[in-house]
Amino acid sequence: MKLSEQITSAATQVGDFLTFATQDESGLLSVINDILGPVPQPDHPSKLEERAEAAGMIDVIRYWQTTDKARSATPEEIQRFFTKSELDSISEQTGLSEEATMSMMCELLPRCIRRRALHMSFTRPNPTPIE
C-alpha cells in the first residue's frame, strides 16, 4: 500500500470514528431496503430471494430469515450479494467510508433480512372454523 493510500485510509477511519458513522444505522438500513425492494405479498416473487438465488445464497438468506441474532455476514457474502457499484453507491449515499460500509453491512444485512421476514406473511391465516 502506498503512503498516500495509508494516510487516506487512516484519515477515513478517524473521520468515521469522530462522526460516529459506524453507529448510525438508519440511513444504511433505508438504502439496504431500497435495494432489496418491497416486502412481497404471499405467492409473489421476492426480489430478495431472486437476488439470493442468483448469488447462490438462498440457504444463507433462509437462515437469516428464521434466526434471531444470526451470525454476521462475511465480507465475501456481502460482495456476492451486492455488486461493486451497489456497494460504492451505498457508501456514497450514506457518507460512510468503504471500510465502515462493509463493516456495517456485515452486521446489518442479516438483521434487516430477519426484520423483513417477521413482517412478511408467508402463509395466509386459516379462517376460524364455524361450529
Side-chain angles (χ1 to χ4, degrees), residues 1-126:
M1 183 184 285
K2 296 178 184 175
L3 179 60
S4 62
E5 291 173 349
Q6 290 176 337
I7 292 171
T8 301
S9 177
T12 300
Q13 290 174 2
V14 169
D16 287 342
F17 175 77
L18 292 175
T19 63
F20 299 103
T22 56
Q23 297 174 11
D24 181 13
E25 298 177 356
S26 60
L28 185 56
L29 282 172
S30 295
V31 175
I32 292 171
N33 276 309
D34 286 346
I35 292 171
L36 298 181
V39 174
Q41 297 300 313
D43 302 322
H44 287 87
S46 162
K47 187 175 177 180
L48 167 66
E49 290 176 358
E50 289 172 359
R51 180 182 282 263
E53 283 282 352
M57 293 180 58
I58 196 69
D59 291 338
V60 175
I61 298 305
R62 293 277 187 252
Y63 168 73
W64 289 337
Q65 287 174 326
T66 59
T67 306
D68 285 327
K69 299 182 182 178
R71 64 159 178 81
S72 298
T74 65
E76 293 77 19
E77 288 170 329
I78 298 298
Q79 291 167 342
R80 282 176 48 202
F81 198 72
F82 295 97
T83 66
K84 171 79 169 112
S85 63
E86 287 173 329
L87 292 172
D88 290 344
S89 178
I90 291 168
S91 183
E92 184 177 306
Q93 288 181 53
T94 60
L96 296 170
S97 68
E98 289 182 22
E99 294 85 7
T101 298
M102 181 58 73
S103 175
M104 289 184 67
M105 291 289 288
C106 288
E107 292 296 319
L108 291 181
L109 184 61
R111 289 181 13 212
C112 180
I113 289 173
R114 174 66 175 152
R115 288 179 191 167
R116 292 168 62 91
L118 290 174
H119 293 96
M120 184 186 315
S121 296
F122 291 110
T123 59
R124 293 190 175 106
N126 294 329

